[in-house]
Amino acid sequence: MITLLFFAHLQEAIGQERIEMQYVPQTVKELKQQIETRYGIDLRHVMVAVNEEYAREEQQLKPGDTVAFIPPVSGG
């Protein structure tokens, strides 16, 4: 199982702040594709952190990981 955390507008799009996922995809890229397909959202410009460290798409996932999806922010 892995824990998925969503921030900002992604929480609204998905309807939840946190999801516990029983199936563990092999990579961050595979996980992003599954989330995009399931929820109809675009994660191309979203940063991903695994266990509080930014991760590349090819990073391997393992049971117990916490994956955070952090959209770009703007401000001024």
mmCIF file of all heavy atoms in Angstrom, residues 28-68:
data_model
loop_
_atom_site.group_PDB
_atom_site.id
_atom_site.type_symbol
_atom_site.label_atom_id
_atom_site.label_comp_id
_atom_site.label_asym_id
_atom_site.label_seq_id
_atom_site.Cartn_x
_atom_site.Cartn_y
_atom_site.Cartn_z
ATOM 1 N N VAL A 28 7.047 6.253 -10.576
ATOM 2 C CA VAL A 28 6.268 7.486 -10.444
ATOM 3 C C VAL A 28 5.506 7.746 -11.742
ATOM 4 O O VAL A 28 4.334 8.129 -11.717
ATOM 5 C CB VAL A 28 7.190 8.670 -10.088
ATOM 6 C CG1 VAL A 28 6.469 9.992 -10.236
ATOM 7 C CG2 VAL A 28 7.747 8.508 -8.681
ATOM 8 N N LYS A 29 6.143 7.529 -12.877
ATOM 9 C CA LYS A 29 5.486 7.754 -14.174
ATOM 10 C C LYS A 29 4.233 6.889 -14.316
ATOM 11 O O LYS A 29 3.179 7.373 -14.734
ATOM 12 C CB LYS A 29 6.456 7.465 -15.316
ATOM 13 C CG LYS A 29 5.859 7.707 -16.676
ATOM 14 C CD LYS A 29 6.871 7.459 -17.769
ATOM 15 C CE LYS A 29 6.258 7.757 -19.131
ATOM 16 N NZ LYS A 29 7.235 7.590 -20.208
ATOM 17 N N GLU A 30 4.335 5.623 -13.965
ATOM 18 C CA GLU A 30 3.188 4.714 -14.046
ATOM 19 C C GLU A 30 2.066 5.186 -13.115
ATOM 20 O O GLU A 30 0.894 5.178 -13.481
ATOM 21 C CB GLU A 30 3.619 3.299 -13.682
ATOM 22 C CG GLU A 30 2.525 2.269 -13.842
ATOM 23 C CD GLU A 30 2.989 0.875 -13.456
ATOM 24 O OE1 GLU A 30 4.142 0.496 -13.761
ATOM 25 O OE2 GLU A 30 2.185 0.151 -12.837
ATOM 26 N N LEU A 31 2.430 5.631 -11.921
ATOM 27 C CA LEU A 31 1.437 6.133 -10.975
ATOM 28 C C LEU A 31 0.738 7.365 -11.530
ATOM 29 O O LEU A 31 -0.489 7.470 -11.484
ATOM 30 C CB LEU A 31 2.097 6.457 -9.634
ATOM 31 C CG LEU A 31 1.193 7.106 -8.588
ATOM 32 C CD1 LEU A 31 0.011 6.214 -8.230
ATOM 33 C CD2 LEU A 31 1.997 7.468 -7.346
ATOM 34 N N LYS A 32 1.498 8.307 -12.087
ATOM 35 C CA LYS A 32 0.905 9.515 -12.661
ATOM 36 C C LYS A 32 -0.075 9.159 -13.778
ATOM 37 O O LYS A 32 -1.167 9.727 -13.854
ATOM 38 C CB LYS A 32 1.996 10.442 -13.189
ATOM 39 C CG LYS A 32 2.736 11.176 -12.082
ATOM 40 C CD LYS A 32 3.892 11.997 -12.607
ATOM 41 C CE LYS A 32 3.451 13.224 -13.344
ATOM 42 N NZ LYS A 32 4.589 14.084 -13.730
ATOM 43 N N GLN A 33 0.289 8.214 -14.632
ATOM 44 C CA GLN A 33 -0.591 7.803 -15.722
ATOM 45 C C GLN A 33 -1.897 7.222 -15.176
ATOM 46 O O GLN A 33 -2.977 7.499 -15.703
ATOM 47 C CB GLN A 33 0.114 6.790 -16.627
ATOM 48 C CG GLN A 33 1.232 7.397 -17.428
ATOM 49 C CD GLN A 33 2.088 6.359 -18.145
ATOM 50 O OE1 GLN A 33 2.130 5.192 -17.765
ATOM 51 N NE2 GLN A 33 2.804 6.801 -19.169
ATOM 52 N N GLN A 34 -1.798 6.416 -14.119
ATOM 53 C CA GLN A 34 -3.000 5.827 -13.527
ATOM 54 C C GLN A 34 -3.913 6.898 -12.929
ATOM 55 O O GLN A 34 -5.129 6.848 -13.090
ATOM 56 C CB GLN A 34 -2.621 4.809 -12.453
ATOM 57 C CG GLN A 34 -2.019 3.553 -13.011
ATOM 58 C CD GLN A 34 -1.611 2.579 -11.925
ATOM 59 O OE1 GLN A 34 -1.919 2.745 -10.760
ATOM 60 N NE2 GLN A 34 -0.891 1.541 -12.323
ATOM 61 N N ILE A 35 -3.321 7.877 -12.241
ATOM 62 C CA ILE A 35 -4.110 8.954 -11.637
ATOM 63 C C ILE A 35 -4.765 9.797 -12.731
ATOM 64 O O ILE A 35 -5.940 10.154 -12.635
ATOM 65 C CB ILE A 35 -3.225 9.842 -10.729
ATOM 66 C CG1 ILE A 35 -2.645 9.028 -9.577
ATOM 67 C CG2 ILE A 35 -4.001 11.052 -10.221
ATOM 68 C CD1 ILE A 35 -3.642 8.493 -8.595
ATOM 69 N N GLU A 36 -4.014 10.117 -13.786
ATOM 70 C CA GLU A 36 -4.570 10.904 -14.893
ATOM 71 C C GLU A 36 -5.761 10.193 -15.528
ATOM 72 O O GLU A 36 -6.797 10.812 -15.792
ATOM 73 C CB GLU A 36 -3.496 11.162 -15.951
ATOM 74 C CG GLU A 36 -2.459 12.161 -15.521
ATOM 75 C CD GLU A 36 -1.359 12.347 -16.547
ATOM 76 O OE1 GLU A 36 -1.006 11.380 -17.257
ATOM 77 O OE2 GLU A 36 -0.838 13.460 -16.622
ATOM 78 N N THR A 37 -5.620 8.903 -15.759
ATOM 79 C CA THR A 37 -6.692 8.131 -16.384
ATOM 80 C C THR A 37 -7.904 8.024 -15.465
ATOM 81 O O THR A 37 -9.039 8.253 -15.898
ATOM 82 C CB THR A 37 -6.186 6.717 -16.747
ATOM 83 O OG1 THR A 37 -5.105 6.843 -17.668
ATOM 84 C CG2 THR A 37 -7.292 5.881 -17.362
ATOM 85 N N ARG A 38 -7.671 7.719 -14.213
ATOM 86 C CA ARG A 38 -8.775 7.508 -13.271
ATOM 87 C C ARG A 38 -9.561 8.785 -12.977
ATOM 88 O O ARG A 38 -10.779 8.760 -12.877
ATOM 89 C CB ARG A 38 -8.240 6.920 -11.979
ATOM 90 C CG ARG A 38 -9.330 6.622 -10.981
ATOM 91 C CD ARG A 38 -8.808 5.859 -9.818
ATOM 92 N NE ARG A 38 -9.897 5.527 -8.920
ATOM 93 C CZ ARG A 38 -9.765 4.847 -7.818
ATOM 94 N NH1 ARG A 38 -8.594 4.377 -7.475
ATOM 95 N NH2 ARG A 38 -10.789 4.608 -7.056
ATOM 96 N N TYR A 39 -8.857 9.912 -12.842
ATOM 97 C CA TYR A 39 -9.517 11.147 -12.419
ATOM 98 C C TYR A 39 -9.645 12.184 -13.530
ATOM 99 O O TYR A 39 -10.194 13.264 -13.302
ATOM 100 C CB TYR A 39 -8.781 11.754 -11.216
ATOM 101 C CG TYR A 39 -8.879 10.865 -10.003
ATOM 102 C CD1 TYR A 39 -7.828 10.026 -9.648
ATOM 103 C CD2 TYR A 39 -10.022 10.836 -9.214
ATOM 104 C CE1 TYR A 39 -7.911 9.198 -8.544
ATOM 105 C CE2 TYR A 39 -10.113 10.009 -8.110
ATOM 106 C CZ TYR A 39 -9.056 9.194 -7.777
ATOM 107 O OH TYR A 39 -9.145 8.369 -6.693
ATOM 108 N N GLY A 40 -9.117 11.894 -14.715
ATOM 109 C CA GLY A 40 -9.246 12.818 -15.833
ATOM 110 C C GLY A 40 -8.531 14.143 -15.615
ATOM 111 O O GLY A 40 -9.043 15.189 -16.005
ATOM 112 N N ILE A 41 -7.363 14.105 -14.988
ATOM 113 C CA ILE A 41 -6.605 15.320 -14.738
ATOM 114 C C ILE A 41 -5.251 15.235 -15.432
ATOM 115 O O ILE A 41 -4.814 14.156 -15.820
ATOM 116 C CB ILE A 41 -6.412 15.579 -13.226
ATOM 117 C CG1 ILE A 41 -5.673 14.420 -12.560
ATOM 118 C CG2 ILE A 41 -7.749 15.839 -12.550
ATOM 119 C CD1 ILE A 41 -5.332 14.659 -11.104
ATOM 120 N N ASP A 42 -4.613 16.378 -15.598
ATOM 121 C CA ASP A 42 -3.315 16.460 -16.259
ATOM 122 C C ASP A 42 -2.240 16.689 -15.205
ATOM 123 O O ASP A 42 -2.266 17.702 -14.500
ATOM 124 C CB ASP A 42 -3.345 17.612 -17.263
ATOM 125 C CG ASP A 42 -2.059 17.762 -18.043
ATOM 126 O OD1 ASP A 42 -1.117 16.961 -17.852
ATOM 127 O OD2 ASP A 42 -1.984 18.703 -18.859
ATOM 128 N N LEU A 43 -1.289 15.781 -15.109
ATOM 129 C CA LEU A 43 -0.220 15.894 -14.117
ATOM 130 C C LEU A 43 1.135 16.206 -14.748
ATOM 131 O O LEU A 43 2.162 16.072 -14.101
ATOM 132 C CB LEU A 43 -0.128 14.597 -13.306
ATOM 133 C CG LEU A 43 -1.352 14.228 -12.472
ATOM 134 C CD1 LEU A 43 -1.150 12.875 -11.798
ATOM 135 C CD2 LEU A 43 -1.651 15.304 -11.440
ATOM 136 N N ARG A 44 1.138 16.659 -16.010
ATOM 137 C CA ARG A 44 2.412 16.906 -16.701
ATOM 138 C C ARG A 44 3.289 17.929 -15.989
ATOM 139 O O ARG A 44 4.500 17.800 -15.983
ATOM 140 C CB ARG A 44 2.169 17.401 -18.125
ATOM 141 C CG ARG A 44 1.838 16.286 -19.087
ATOM 142 C CD ARG A 44 1.647 16.835 -20.457
ATOM 143 N NE ARG A 44 0.437 17.664 -20.423
ATOM 144 C CZ ARG A 44 0.016 18.401 -21.413
ATOM 145 N NH1 ARG A 44 0.705 18.461 -22.524
ATOM 146 N NH2 ARG A 44 -1.095 19.093 -21.311
ATOM 147 N N HIS A 45 2.699 18.968 -15.405
ATOM 148 C CA HIS A 45 3.488 20.037 -14.792
ATOM 149 C C HIS A 45 3.474 19.966 -13.268
ATOM 150 O O HIS A 45 3.841 20.926 -12.599
ATOM 151 C CB HIS A 45 2.970 21.395 -15.261
ATOM 152 C CG HIS A 45 3.012 21.529 -16.748
ATOM 153 N ND1 HIS A 45 4.189 21.615 -17.457
ATOM 154 C CD2 HIS A 45 2.026 21.547 -17.675
ATOM 155 C CE1 HIS A 45 3.921 21.698 -18.744
ATOM 156 N NE2 HIS A 45 2.612 21.653 -18.905
ATOM 157 N N VAL A 46 3.078 18.836 -12.746
ATOM 158 C CA VAL A 46 2.980 18.650 -11.300
ATOM 159 C C VAL A 46 4.276 18.021 -10.777
ATOM 160 O O VAL A 46 4.772 17.050 -11.337
ATOM 161 C CB VAL A 46 1.762 17.755 -10.961
ATOM 162 C CG1 VAL A 46 1.745 17.369 -9.506
ATOM 163 C CG2 VAL A 46 0.475 18.475 -11.345
ATOM 164 N N MET A 47 4.804 18.599 -9.708
ATOM 165 C CA MET A 47 5.978 18.021 -9.046
ATOM 166 C C MET A 47 5.514 16.849 -8.185
ATOM 167 O O MET A 47 4.411 16.879 -7.631
ATOM 168 C CB MET A 47 6.667 19.046 -8.160
ATOM 169 C CG MET A 47 7.240 20.234 -8.907
ATOM 170 S SD MET A 47 8.595 19.798 -10.009
ATOM 171 C CE MET A 47 9.818 19.235 -8.846
ATOM 172 N N VAL A 48 6.367 15.849 -8.072
ATOM 173 C CA VAL A 48 6.052 14.684 -7.256
ATOM 174 C C VAL A 48 7.161 14.505 -6.227
ATOM 175 O O VAL A 48 8.347 14.586 -6.560
ATOM 176 C CB VAL A 48 5.924 13.411 -8.122
ATOM 177 C CG1 VAL A 48 5.678 12.185 -7.257
ATOM 178 C CG2 VAL A 48 4.814 13.573 -9.150
ATOM 179 N N ALA A 49 6.762 14.276 -4.987
ATOM 180 C CA ALA A 49 7.717 13.978 -3.931
ATOM 181 C C ALA A 49 7.390 12.599 -3.368
ATOM 182 O O ALA A 49 6.226 12.272 -3.149
ATOM 183 C CB ALA A 49 7.644 15.024 -2.820
ATOM 184 N N VAL A 50 8.409 11.798 -3.170
ATOM 185 C CA VAL A 50 8.263 10.480 -2.561
ATOM 186 C C VAL A 50 8.987 10.526 -1.220
ATOM 187 O O VAL A 50 10.190 10.806 -1.179
ATOM 188 C CB VAL A 50 8.828 9.363 -3.463
ATOM 189 C CG1 VAL A 50 8.726 8.010 -2.768
ATOM 190 C CG2 VAL A 50 8.101 9.331 -4.803
ATOM 191 N N ASN A 51 8.227 10.295 -0.167
ATOM 192 C CA ASN A 51 8.786 10.335 1.183
ATOM 193 C C ASN A 51 9.516 11.655 1.448
ATOM 194 O O ASN A 51 10.632 11.694 1.955
ATOM 195 C CB ASN A 51 9.696 9.133 1.442
ATOM 196 C CG ASN A 51 8.950 7.838 1.261
ATOM 197 O OD1 ASN A 51 7.779 7.725 1.594
ATOM 198 N ND2 ASN A 51 9.611 6.841 0.696
ATOM 199 N N GLU A 52 8.851 12.750 1.040
ATOM 200 C CA GLU A 52 9.295 14.133 1.286
ATOM 201 C C GLU A 52 10.539 14.548 0.513
ATOM 202 O O GLU A 52 11.202 15.518 0.868
ATOM 203 C CB GLU A 52 9.471 14.393 2.777
ATOM 204 C CG GLU A 52 8.175 14.210 3.551
ATOM 205 C CD GLU A 52 8.306 14.510 5.028
ATOM 206 O OE1 GLU A 52 9.363 15.028 5.459
ATOM 207 O OE2 GLU A 52 7.339 14.243 5.747
ATOM 208 N N GLU A 53 10.876 13.824 -0.560
ATOM 209 C CA GLU A 53 11.983 14.213 -1.430
ATOM 210 C C GLU A 53 11.478 14.212 -2.868
ATOM 211 O O GLU A 53 10.838 13.251 -3.302
ATOM 212 C CB GLU A 53 13.158 13.256 -1.289
ATOM 213 C CG GLU A 53 13.833 13.340 0.067
ATOM 214 C CD GLU A 53 15.136 12.565 0.117
ATOM 215 O OE1 GLU A 53 15.752 12.345 -0.943
ATOM 216 O OE2 GLU A 53 15.523 12.195 1.233
ATOM 217 N N TYR A 54 11.796 15.287 -3.605
ATOM 218 C CA TYR A 54 11.350 15.348 -4.992
ATOM 219 C C TYR A 54 11.842 14.132 -5.764
ATOM 220 O O TYR A 54 12.957 13.658 -5.536
ATOM 221 C CB TYR A 54 11.817 16.640 -5.663
ATOM 222 C CG TYR A 54 11.022 17.834 -5.186
ATOM 223 C CD1 TYR A 54 11.598 18.805 -4.395
ATOM 224 C CD2 TYR A 54 9.675 17.957 -5.513
ATOM 225 C CE1 TYR A 54 10.869 19.890 -3.942
ATOM 226 C CE2 TYR A 54 8.934 19.025 -5.054
ATOM 227 C CZ TYR A 54 9.529 19.993 -4.282
ATOM 228 O OH TYR A 54 8.794 21.053 -3.828
ATOM 229 N N ALA A 55 10.992 13.638 -6.662
ATOM 230 C CA ALA A 55 11.289 12.393 -7.369
ATOM 231 C C ALA A 55 11.168 12.579 -8.875
ATOM 232 O O ALA A 55 10.334 13.344 -9.358
ATOM 233 C CB ALA A 55 10.323 11.305 -6.908
ATOM 234 N N ARG A 56 11.979 11.841 -9.595
ATOM 235 C CA ARG A 56 11.887 11.792 -11.057
ATOM 236 C C ARG A 56 10.865 10.731 -11.442
ATOM 237 O O ARG A 56 10.544 9.852 -10.655
ATOM 238 C CB ARG A 56 13.243 11.448 -11.662
ATOM 239 C CG ARG A 56 14.284 12.505 -11.402
ATOM 240 C CD ARG A 56 15.595 12.086 -12.069
ATOM 241 N NE ARG A 56 16.617 13.074 -11.823
ATOM 242 C CZ ARG A 56 16.971 14.006 -12.707
ATOM 243 N NH1 ARG A 56 16.383 14.050 -13.885
ATOM 244 N NH2 ARG A 56 17.914 14.871 -12.417
ATOM 245 N N GLU A 57 10.404 10.807 -12.688
ATOM 246 C CA GLU A 57 9.375 9.873 -13.142
ATOM 247 C C GLU A 57 9.840 8.420 -13.132
ATOM 248 O O GLU A 57 9.044 7.522 -12.956
ATOM 249 C CB GLU A 57 8.872 10.273 -14.533
ATOM 250 C CG GLU A 57 8.065 11.549 -14.492
ATOM 251 C CD GLU A 57 7.121 11.676 -15.647
ATOM 252 O OE1 GLU A 57 7.295 11.000 -16.678
ATOM 253 O OE2 GLU A 57 6.182 12.470 -15.510
ATOM 254 N N GLU A 58 11.116 8.186 -13.281
ATOM 255 C CA GLU A 58 11.612 6.801 -13.326
ATOM 256 C C GLU A 58 11.875 6.223 -11.935
ATOM 257 O O GLU A 58 12.250 5.052 -11.819
ATOM 258 C CB GLU A 58 12.858 6.692 -14.207
ATOM 259 C CG GLU A 58 14.013 7.566 -13.808
ATOM 260 C CD GLU A 58 13.954 8.990 -14.383
ATOM 261 O OE1 GLU A 58 13.071 9.323 -15.178
ATOM 262 O OE2 GLU A 58 14.826 9.773 -13.997
ATOM 263 N N GLN A 59 11.674 7.023 -10.893
ATOM 264 C CA GLN A 59 11.905 6.505 -9.534
ATOM 265 C C GLN A 59 10.982 5.338 -9.229
ATOM 266 O O GLN A 59 9.795 5.372 -9.509
ATOM 267 C CB GLN A 59 11.705 7.594 -8.481
ATOM 268 C CG GLN A 59 11.956 7.057 -7.073
ATOM 269 C CD GLN A 59 12.124 8.149 -6.048
ATOM 270 O OE1 GLN A 59 12.550 9.245 -6.359
ATOM 271 N NE2 GLN A 59 11.784 7.829 -4.809
ATOM 272 N N GLN A 60 11.547 4.299 -8.657
ATOM 273 C CA GLN A 60 10.797 3.111 -8.275
ATOM 274 C C GLN A 60 9.993 3.389 -7.006
ATOM 275 O O GLN A 60 10.470 4.089 -6.111
ATOM 276 C CB GLN A 60 11.754 1.945 -8.022
ATOM 277 C CG GLN A 60 12.571 1.542 -9.231
ATOM 278 C CD GLN A 60 11.741 0.816 -10.266
ATOM 279 O OE1 GLN A 60 11.044 -0.131 -9.952
ATOM 280 N NE2 GLN A 60 11.814 1.269 -11.502
ATOM 281 N N LEU A 61 8.812 2.826 -6.925
ATOM 282 C CA LEU A 61 7.972 2.938 -5.732
ATOM 283 C C LEU A 61 7.962 1.607 -4.998
ATOM 284 O O LEU A 61 8.129 0.553 -5.608
ATOM 285 C CB LEU A 61 6.547 3.334 -6.127
ATOM 286 C CG LEU A 61 6.407 4.692 -6.803
ATOM 287 C CD1 LEU A 61 4.990 4.885 -7.314
ATOM 288 C CD2 LEU A 61 6.799 5.809 -5.864
ATOM 289 N N LYS A 62 7.729 1.688 -3.685
ATOM 290 C CA LYS A 62 7.659 0.461 -2.881
ATOM 291 C C LYS A 62 6.563 0.614 -1.835
ATOM 292 O O LYS A 62 6.166 1.732 -1.496
ATOM 293 C CB LYS A 62 9.009 0.163 -2.250
ATOM 294 C CG LYS A 62 9.504 1.218 -1.305
ATOM 295 C CD LYS A 62 10.911 0.905 -0.849
ATOM 296 C CE LYS A 62 11.456 1.915 0.123
ATOM 297 N NZ LYS A 62 11.312 3.302 -0.182
ATOM 298 N N PRO A 63 6.050 -0.498 -1.321
ATOM 299 C CA PRO A 63 5.014 -0.420 -0.290
ATOM 300 C C PRO A 63 5.478 0.448 0.882
ATOM 301 O O PRO A 63 6.639 0.423 1.282
ATOM 302 C CB PRO A 63 4.843 -1.874 0.149
ATOM 303 C CG PRO A 63 5.265 -2.673 -1.048
ATOM 304 C CD PRO A 63 6.392 -1.891 -1.662
ATOM 305 N N GLY A 64 4.558 1.260 1.386
ATOM 306 C CA GLY A 64 4.857 2.135 2.508
ATOM 307 C C GLY A 64 5.244 3.544 2.103
ATOM 308 O O GLY A 64 5.308 4.434 2.951
ATOM 309 N N ASP A 65 5.494 3.770 0.806
ATOM 310 C CA ASP A 65 5.858 5.110 0.349
ATOM 311 C C ASP A 65 4.688 6.077 0.509
ATOM 312 O O ASP A 65 3.517 5.688 0.420
ATOM 313 C CB ASP A 65 6.273 5.097 -1.124
ATOM 314 C CG ASP A 65 7.680 4.562 -1.354
ATOM 315 O OD1 ASP A 65 8.449 4.463 -0.376
ATOM 316 O OD2 ASP A 65 7.998 4.254 -2.516
ATOM 317 N N THR A 66 5.048 7.351 0.704
ATOM 318 C CA THR A 66 4.068 8.440 0.666
ATOM 319 C C THR A 66 4.440 9.301 -0.531
ATOM 320 O O THR A 66 5.577 9.779 -0.631
ATOM 321 C CB THR A 66 4.114 9.279 1.963
ATOM 322 O OG1 THR A 66 3.737 8.441 3.049
ATOM 323 C CG2 THR A 66 3.153 10.447 1.880
ATOM 324 N N VAL A 67 3.471 9.471 -1.429
ATOM 325 C CA VAL A 67 3.710 10.212 -2.672
ATOM 326 C C VAL A 67 2.849 11.470 -2.652
ATOM 327 O O VAL A 67 1.619 11.376 -2.532
ATOM 328 C CB VAL A 67 3.379 9.348 -3.905
ATOM 329 C CG1 VAL A 67 3.685 10.102 -5.173
ATOM 330 C CG2 VAL A 67 4.140 8.019 -3.859
ATOM 331 N N ALA A 68 3.492 12.627 -2.773
ATOM 332 C CA ALA A 68 2.782 13.902 -2.779
ATOM 333 C C ALA A 68 2.796 14.499 -4.180
ATOM 334 O O ALA A 68 3.823 14.489 -4.853
ATOM 335 C CB ALA A 68 3.426 14.855 -1.796
#
